[in-house]
Amino acid sequence: MDLGIKGKRALVCASSKGLGRGCAMALAAEGVDLVINARGAEALEATAAEIRAAHGVEVVAVAADITSEDGRARVLEACGQIDILVNNAGGPPPGFWPDWERDDFIKALDSNMLTPIALIKALVPAMMDRGWGRVVNITSASVRSPIGQLGLSNSARAGLTGYVAGTSRQVASKGVVMNNLLPGSHDTDRIKSLTEATMKREGITMEEAVAKRNASNPTGRIGTAEEFGATCAFMCSQYAGFMIGQNVLLDGGAFNTTM
Ligand code: NAP
């Protein structure tokens, strides 16, 4: 299926690895030129080279911390005209609710709420002027169903979700489609470190922790970055024009609910 976005240009934040990389790869497969970003230059350049080789699109790689003002400024400077924005950044660390202080919350809010909002404010007005744009914010299944040890993430992402709910409806008439994509467990470095934390906390082996994690999902497995990227690409496509302010949960049915 041709998603109708060949020749568009996307900024995919935090995309040298994992879910961001999956989104970048899927957009490139549709002929979308890219600006990709991560802090570590080596993995970022390797991903950029892989995408260029696989799909022949233009890929500009900017090594910068997207959660810092300076990092965002450098990324935006390299952007040019952006039609598609995929917001992403590393998630806050796991922990225990009485331990989190104001500074921990400020850091989480900066990374997972205020950074995507700053990028939306920087890029969406020009999309509205041109009458076409797509924004996908990578949040988390924890917005729908809280994960206790990820309280910092639950809180910051719920804040972004509230912002997107209102903002998406204010920009829709100008052709800008803004939604959130909520990953459940996917096979990335992030999930490896969370599984390791479970192993240590429960005093079990890695194999046991993986088996326990997989068994808890109706599909008996976790998702892949490719599956995640394909869903993101659809949400950025010409066909997503009537999908506004939605929270698309991609979790293999882990969240047990009728609707
Ligand atoms: P990942 O595999 O650890 O990849 C994270 C990517 O983001 C890397 O390319 C990393 O590169 C980059 N990055 C991290 N912090 C950054 C920053 N401050 N500025 C720029 N780039 C940054 O993580 P993931 O699993 O893809 O997760 C992506 C997001 O989805 C996270 O917020 C995570 O909490 C959320 N999530 C993931 C899952 C899952 O199952 N994987 C589930 C729910 C939610 P550098 O380290 O070089 O910067």
Side-chain angles (χ1 to χ4, degrees):
M1 183 178 180
D2 176 359
L3 296 183
I5 48 177
K6 188 175 166 61
K8 301 281 187 197
R9 189 174 171 86
L11 166 59
V12 185
C13 302
S15 50
S16 66
K17 297 179 189 168
L19 303 180
R21 184 183 189 281
C23 295
M25 200 53 103
L27 288 168
E30 289 298 318
V32 173
D33 293 321
L34 297 173
V35 178
I36 64 170
N37 149 262
R39 291 163 303 182
E42 202 178 321
L44 183 68
E45 289 300 341
T47 295
E50 249 184 90
I51 296 174
R52 283 184 205 111
H55 302 296
V57 295
E58 185 197 338
V59 184
V60 175
V62 187
D65 183 343
I66 199 68
T67 67
S68 75
E69 235 176 278
D70 168 64
R72 278 193 299 279
R74 283 195 288 125
V75 169
L76 288 170
E77 206 179 296
C79 271
Q81 174 183 309
I82 290 293
D83 308 295
I84 295 169
L85 166 63
V86 180
N87 270 317
N88 186 30
F96 184 43
W97 66 268
D99 299 334
W100 295 319
E101 302 297 345
R102 179 181 164 78
D103 281 354
D104 301 309
F105 281 100
I106 297 294
K107 212 170 159 202
L109 290 170
D110 257 340
S111 298
N112 299 106
M113 177 182 173
L114 299 177
T115 289
I117 290 174
L119 291 169
I120 286 168
K121 284 184 68 179
L123 296 173
V124 166
M127 294 180 194
M128 293 168 75
D129 288 346
R130 292 192 298 273
W132 198 95
R134 298 287 184 265
V135 179
V136 173
N137 303 293
I138 299 179
T139 63
S140 173
S142 72
V143 172
R144 292 287 305 281
S145 176
I147 301 168
Q149 57 169 331
L150 296 180
L152 294 171
S153 168
N154 301 339
S155 309
R157 297 186 199 278
L160 176 64
T161 304
Y163 173 86
V164 169
T167 308
S168 60
R169 287 160 170 98
Q170 294 175 72
V171 300
S173 70
K174 301 288 185 196
V176 177
V177 169
M178 189 185 296
N179 293 289
N180 302 319
L181 182 49
L182 285 56
S185 286
H186 282 73
D187 194 7
T188 67
D189 287 356
R190 161 84 171 164
I191 211 69
K192 278 186 196 89
S193 68
L194 290 175
T195 308
E196 266 166 30
T198 305
M199 173 186 82
K200 284 181 193 142
R201 198 178 56 248
E202 299 188 8
I204 55 180
T205 66
M206 192 61 181
E207 288 70 29
E208 286 167 334
V210 168
K212 192 174 171 185
R213 183 193 69 193
N214 289 354
S216 70
N217 192 286
T219 61
R221 64 177 180 93
I222 58 175
T224 68
E226 290 73 24
E227 289 168 320
F228 190 85
T231 306
C232 175
F234 172 77
M235 291 167 73
C236 297
S237 75
Q238 297 292 3
Y239 303 108
F242 206 52
M243 181 192 269
I244 301 296
Q246 297 303 298
N247 289 281
V248 177
L249 180 63
L250 205 62
D251 72 343
F255 180 47
N256 192 30
T257 177
T258 302
M259 284 195 282

